[in-house]
């Protein structure tokens, strides 16, 4: 299964049905929504079922996310709480049911944003503990429904922290949406991160990136698929069977890894993985690759060609 | 502290011999010579000749430092003179060398753990990466041999000082000293060799400082070529080594320490092809061979390399290939002297700026 995240649909706009048609027109087999709210703001069951029927008619699978589940930052989960009439758990259950109606039985979420890791109001480890507590509470409901959640490798969280979260919640109800271009933002290399997460990976996000020096460390620069540092042939071989979603990112993140302050927020940094990033930056420098990143729209066509060639 | 120069690498060392080289060092405004081994001074351990060297050093009010040889039993076959001087018994050979040194009151004695293999570029130039015997086995054998020498050193009041040589890390040198005993062992801190083990010289200085008893003061270019780093010697102040940070650490630990400039060798003295030294700094296997290296020090090292790259651009410094080509053609007596003088000037400037106890140039 190779699908596309909705934000990458050419001409992506306000009409989810138009995005369905456009995705089918690209020859892809799925469309990933950021949240069921995008299809039905009121999470109306009939509306969601009708949309699923339309997707089925086009031969498209639907995926969906739940957004951020950082309950330690209430503003991140405000809409879910509203959907539950003021109760987070009730809102989450409504979202799960909505996802199930769409046929998305492994909805994914991300914990927070890169700012959350540095948030002075509550230590990152404590934020993670709150997230784990909510997920543990949700676990019986997931088991009843035969569903599981996937936590995305996102720029604020390390792969080791994800493994700890899965161990705290239960690997039967929590898996991984592996997005390798994000792990580099935490100073990790894609293959070692993949090895750490391998038993839990259910979904893979396709994109590629290169690394550049900055004055204070390195920068992630997104690049056309196959031209960057992610060893996709090896990754795909190790995650055979995982759903693949084209997810062309936008963020041009700096990793000031020479800064002790940055290191202080990056426990468990591995020399070999920093070496991977530094080596990539050095090769880019020697090869004279200085340009910034291409926009997601510019990278879609090479990605489609790559998926047609490699994923068939 | 006093500032001197390498007795083996000072230009025309072989031609002039040790006594005249002391005079040569004095002419260059230096306060001492550090002959790598006592066999460099006298291959037969001629007591009369060694006393003559000591006498000349004393007359010139210069320090005289020396050493023994390699102490890694897997490397000593590459230095057959060590066994020969003991008539086949290498421990006796070391005893004779140590007694000869003590007789001229040289009691801080350099030793090394392996020979750099100039024939190879990359990891196999370093015996750390030998494929027949692991580095751990070599370290164990080295420690065992040092333990055999320890009682002799104790009797003679000698410190056997292990160099932070190209193949060994400062972590490992410190562990050897602490294991064999700091009463009989110490460290020769080479300020640039540690770079070849991905160590930041300032971080290494902090680790070794309590045990440093001799030095090789030198500097180096470290610059990327693709994803490997090149290492090339530079006069002090012209490379990545921050002497302004290192010298106060060393001076605080041992104010009487002698600072010995190890200069790049004149091509007239030692005709050779330019040897390329590289660090496979991004290679996971190479990095895995440095288990003591932390992510924080590695990041500091990368930062140092990036800052140096900016400095090279800003100051229009010669890059590695240009300098190699220039040196192979042009680095002879005058250039080696200029290299030493430039290094000495930088060290004196740093010490003056920080009011470190470096003996002033004799009038």
């Amino acid at each position: 299964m190779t699908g596309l995240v909705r934000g990458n649909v050419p001409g992506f706009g306000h009409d989810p049905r138009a995005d369905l048609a456009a995705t089918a027109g690209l020859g892809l087999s799925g469309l990933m929504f950021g949240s069921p709210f995008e299809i039905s703001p009121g999470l109306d069951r009939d509306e969601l079922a009708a949309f699923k029927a339309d997707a089925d008619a086009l031969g498209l699978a639907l995926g969906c996310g739940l957004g951020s589940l950082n309950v330690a930052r209430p503003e991140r989960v405000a809409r879910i709480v509203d959907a539950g009439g003021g109760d987070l758990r009730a809102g989450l259950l409504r979202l799960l049911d909505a996802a199930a109606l769409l046929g998305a039985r492994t909805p994914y979420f991300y914990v927070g944003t890169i700012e959350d890791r540095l948030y002075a109001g509550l230590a990152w480890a404590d934020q993670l503990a709150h997230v784990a507590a909510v997920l543990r509470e949700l676990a019986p409901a997931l088991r009843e429904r035969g569903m599981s959640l996937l936590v995305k490798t996102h720029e604020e969280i390390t792969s080791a922290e994800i493994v700890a979260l899965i161990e705290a919640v239960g690997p039967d109800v929590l898996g991984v949406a592996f997005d390798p271009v994000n792990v580099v933002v935490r100073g990790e290399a894609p293959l070692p991160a993949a090895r750490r997460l391998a038993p839990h990976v259910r979904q893979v996000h396709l994109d590629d990136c290169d690394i550049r020096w900055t004055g204070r460390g390195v920068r992630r620069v997104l690049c056309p698929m196959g031209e960057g540092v992610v060893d996709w042939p090896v990754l795909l071989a190790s995650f055979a069977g995982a759903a693949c979603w084209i997810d062309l990112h936008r963020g041009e993140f700096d990793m000031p890894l020479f800064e002790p302050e940055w290191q202080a927020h990056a426990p468990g940094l591995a020399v070999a993985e920093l070496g991977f990033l530094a080596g990539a930056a050095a090769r880019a420098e020697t090869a004279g690759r200085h340009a910034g990143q291409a926009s997601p729209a510019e990278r879609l066509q090479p990605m489609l060609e790559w998926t047609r060639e490699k994923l068939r | 502290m006093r500032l001197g120069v390498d007795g083996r690498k000072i230009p025309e060392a072989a031609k002039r011999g040790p006594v005249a080289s002391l005079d040569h060092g004095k002419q260059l405004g230096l306060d001492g010579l550090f002959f790598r081994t006592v066999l460099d001074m006298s291959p037969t351990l001629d007591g009369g000749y060694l006393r003559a060297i000591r006498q000349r050093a004393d007359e010139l009010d210069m320090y005289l430092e020396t050493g023994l040889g390699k102490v890694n039993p897997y490397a000593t076959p590459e230095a057959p003179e060590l066994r020969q001087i003991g008539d086949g018994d290498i421990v006796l050979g070391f005893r004779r060398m140590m007694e000869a040194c003590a007789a001229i009151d040289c009691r801080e004695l350099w030793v090394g753990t392996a020979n750099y293999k100039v024939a190879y570029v990359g990891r196999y130039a370093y015996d750390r990466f030998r494929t027949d015997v692991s580095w751990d086995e070599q370290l164990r054998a080295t420690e065992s041999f040092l333990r055999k020498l320890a009682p002799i050193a104790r009797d003679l009041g000698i410190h056997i000082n292990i160099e932070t040589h190209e193949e060994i890390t400062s972590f490992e040198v410190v562990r050897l000293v602490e294991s064999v005993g700091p009463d009989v062992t110490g460290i020769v801190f080479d300020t640039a060799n540690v770079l070849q083990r991905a160590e930041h010289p300032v971080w290494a200085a902090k680790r070794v400082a309590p045990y440093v008893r001799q030095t090789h003061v030198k500097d180096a270019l470290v610059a990327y070529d693709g994803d490997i780093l090149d290492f090339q010697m530079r006069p002090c102040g012209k490379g990545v080594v921050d002497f302004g940070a290192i010298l106060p650490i060393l001076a605080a630990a041992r104010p009487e320490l002698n600072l010995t400039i190890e200069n790049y060798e004149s091509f007239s003295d030692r005709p050779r092809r330019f040897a390329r030294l590289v660090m496979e700094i991004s290679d996971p296997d190479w990095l895995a061979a440095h288990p003591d290296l932390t992510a924080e020090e590695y990041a500091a090292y990368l930062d140092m390399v990036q800052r140096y790259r900016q400095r090279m651009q800003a100051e229009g410094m010669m890059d590695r290939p240009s300098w190699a080509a220039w040196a192979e053609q042009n680095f002879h007596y005058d250039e080696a002297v200029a290299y030493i003088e430039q290094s000495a000037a930088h060290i004196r400037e740093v010490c003056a700026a920080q009011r470190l106890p470096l003996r002033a140039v004799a009038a």
Side-chain angles (χ1 to χ4, degrees):
Chain A
M1 208 292 301
T2 307
L4 183 64
V5 302
R6 191 184 176 207
N8 292 151
V9 174
F12 154 72
H14 300 294
D15 179 3
R17 281 186 170 75
D19 295 335
L20 272 185
T23 304
L26 294 171
L28 294 165
S29 50
L31 181 60
M32 173 74 80
F33 285 82
S35 138
F37 292 126
E38 293 178 16
I39 296 165
S40 171
L43 301 181
D44 181 88
R45 297 180 65 87
D46 294 339
E47 207 175 346
L48 292 161
F51 192 82
K52 169 75 162 80
D54 288 355
D56 287 345
L58 288 167
L60 288 178
L62 294 175
C64 87
L66 304 177
S68 164
L69 292 189
N70 189 2
V71 292
R73 306 291 305 270
E75 65 275 25
R76 304 248 185 274
V77 291
R79 191 164 186 187
I80 304 175
V81 172
D82 281 352
D87 178 37
L88 173 74
R89 185 182 143 77
L92 282 169
L93 291 177
R94 283 195 70 200
L95 274 180
L96 287 184
D97 291 337
L101 283 168
L102 295 171
R105 305 201 65 83
T106 56
Y108 81 95
F109 67 95
Y110 53 94
V111 171
T113 68
I114 204 160
E115 290 77 20
D116 290 356
R117 191 176 186 91
L118 311 172
Y119 178 54
L122 188 65
W124 175 239
D126 294 333
Q127 296 177 54
L128 285 174
H130 283 287
V131 174
V134 167
L135 294 175
R136 264 199 307 272
E137 259 182 63
L138 203 61
L142 286 163
R143 290 190 183 104
E144 273 169 31
R145 288 163 173 75
M147 293 176 74
S148 54
L149 297 181
L150 305 180
V151 55
K152 194 184 191 199
T153 58
H154 204 238
E155 53 268 15
E156 75 284 356
I157 193 165
T158 69
S159 56
E161 287 162 349
I162 284 183
V163 170
L165 193 61
I166 290 169
E167 284 168 358
V169 176
D172 60 325
V173 290
L174 186 58
V176 172
F178 186 58
D179 191 346
V181 299
N182 283 342
V183 301
V184 305
V185 181
R186 295 262 51 82
E188 298 184 34
L191 288 184
R195 277 195 289 275
R196 287 188 283 274
L197 297 168
H200 311 294
V201 173
R202 306 278 176 269
Q203 172 174 312
V204 173
H205 292 245
L206 302 174
D207 200 358
D208 209 347
C209 66
D210 201 358
I211 307 294
R212 303 274 191 272
W213 293 120
T214 66
R216 302 305 306 142
V218 294
R219 174 175 299 153
R220 182 189 80 176
V221 177
L222 300 159
C223 69
M225 190 67 165
E227 294 180 13
V229 300
V230 181
D231 191 342
W232 276 108
V234 171
L235 284 182
L236 289 175
S238 42
F239 300 137
C244 293
W245 295 94
I246 295 169
D247 183 358
L248 301 166
H249 299 62
R250 284 187 171 74
E252 194 172 302
F253 286 101
D254 273 2
M255 296 85 88
L257 44 93
F258 303 158
E259 306 276 4
E261 303 78 44
W262 188 87
Q263 294 167 13
H265 287 284
L269 278 179
V271 169
E273 297 184 53
L274 292 183
F276 174 88
L277 299 178
R283 285 192 298 277
E285 178 78 24
T286 302
R289 291 197 301 274
H290 300 298
Q293 62 188 30
S295 73
E298 289 170 83
R299 281 150 43 218
L300 180 58
Q301 202 51 43
M303 173 63 89
L304 292 171
E305 284 161 21
W306 187 91
T307 55
R308 275 195 286 273
E309 189 187 327
K310 306 285 185 186
L311 297 181
R312 287 294 147 90
Chain B
M1 297 190 297
R2 285 182 293 180
L3 185 60
V5 66
D6 190 304
R8 184 186 279 177
K9 296 186 177 177
I10 183 174
E12 299 184 345
K15 190 165 110 186
R16 296 179 190 231
V19 172
S21 286
L22 283 164
D23 288 283
H24 193 199
K26 196 72 183 174
Q27 283 163 25
L28 299 179
L30 295 158
D31 269 339
L33 253 60
F34 176 177
F35 294 94
R36 194 67 55 93
T37 76
V38 64
L39 296 178
D40 276 0
M41 292 193 286
S42 169
T44 58
L45 298 182
D46 178 331
Y49 187 59
L50 290 171
R51 278 193 300 280
I53 297 169
R54 160 54 71 194
Q55 185 185 331
R56 191 61 189 144
D58 290 347
E59 286 163 1
L60 295 169
D61 194 19
M62 293 173 80
Y63 71 78
L64 174 65
E65 288 189 1
T66 189
L68 301 169
K70 304 295 173 184
V71 289
N72 170 359
Y74 291 96
T76 46
E78 294 167 15
E81 69 276 14
L82 301 174
R83 191 164 167 182
Q84 281 162 11
I85 203 71
D87 295 316
D89 175 347
I90 196 165
V91 175
L92 179 60
F94 272 80
R95 175 188 285 280
R96 286 176 176 167
M97 289 189 286
M98 290 159 83
E99 286 171 347
C101 290
I104 56 166
D105 202 25
C106 287
R107 289 187 164 83
E108 300 296 339
L109 300 178
W110 169 93
V111 297
T113 40
N115 292 297
Y116 182 82
K117 306 297 188 293
V118 288
Y120 314 115
V121 177
R123 67 187 69 179
Y124 297 124
Y126 304 84
D127 280 6
R128 181 179 198 84
F129 293 95
R130 277 176 74 153
T131 54
D132 53 349
V133 54
S134 74
W135 181 240
D136 277 346
E137 288 173 276
Q138 294 178 68
L139 285 175
R140 281 197 293 277
T142 300
E143 182 180 334
S144 168
F145 183 56
L146 287 171
R147 287 185 189 286
K148 290 190 169 82
L149 301 180
I152 308 170
R154 204 167 278 121
D155 282 351
L156 296 168
I158 279 171
H159 285 98
I160 300 167
N161 300 325
I162 307 156
E163 181 177 354
T164 55
H165 202 249
E166 285 99 342
E167 66 285 343
I168 194 166
T169 70
S170 64
F171 297 95
E172 291 156 350
V173 173
V174 166
R175 282 199 287 270
L176 279 173
V177 169
E178 291 181 346
S179 169
V180 178
D183 59 328
V184 287
T185 57
I187 292 174
V188 181
F189 181 41
D190 185 308
T191 55
N193 280 345
V194 294
L195 291 163
Q196 296 177 58
R197 298 274 60 82
E199 294 183 54
H200 191 295
V202 178
W203 292 49
K206 289 176 184 164
R207 282 190 283 276
V208 298
Y211 306 120
V212 174
R213 309 186 76 93
Q214 293 174 282
T215 59
H216 280 156
V217 170
K218 72 184 196 217
D219 206 345
L221 162 148
V222 176
Y224 274 107
D225 181 3
D227 57 10
I228 61 172
L229 285 174
D230 279 309
F231 174 101
Q232 206 173 58
M233 282 179 67
R234 287 289 182 275
C236 297
K238 292 295 178 186
V240 298
V241 178
D242 182 357
F243 288 101
I246 289 174
L247 294 179
I249 297 167
L250 299 180
R254 193 170 300 278
E256 70 276 22
L257 187 68
N258 293 323
L259 303 176
T260 300
I261 295 164
E262 181 179 348
N263 58 289
Y264 191 63
E265 262 184 295
S266 153
F267 279 76
S268 312
D269 291 346
R270 192 163 66 82
R272 62 198 188 274
R273 295 296 301 171
F274 199 97
R276 188 174 176 206
L277 275 70
V278 305
M279 288 86 84
E280 297 163 74
I281 196 71
S282 309
D283 182 280
D285 295 330
W286 191 92
L287 289 169
H290 301 83
D292 293 306
L293 179 63
T294 64
E296 290 75 15
E297 183 165 357
Y298 185 66
Y301 185 100
L302 297 176
D303 188 15
M304 172 190 74
V305 174
Q306 289 305 308
R307 287 172 194 267
Y308 186 64
R309 180 175 67 117
Q310 289 157 9
R311 186 180 154 200
M312 283 179 74
Q313 285 166 355
E315 296 183 18
M317 290 182 181
M318 254 196 268
D319 64 10
R320 179 199 60 83
S322 311
W323 199 84
W326 171 81
E328 214 169 38
Q329 293 301 313
N330 300 298
F331 199 88
H332 299 290
Y333 178 85
D334 289 344
E335 290 71 26
V337 165
Y339 188 108
I340 292 167
E341 288 175 338
Q342 197 174 356
S343 295
H346 181 71
I347 298 300
R348 291 197 183 284
E349 197 178 289
V350 167
C351 289
Q354 307 208 32
R355 300 174 191 280
L356 299 178
L358 182 69
R359 198 168 81 166
V361 191

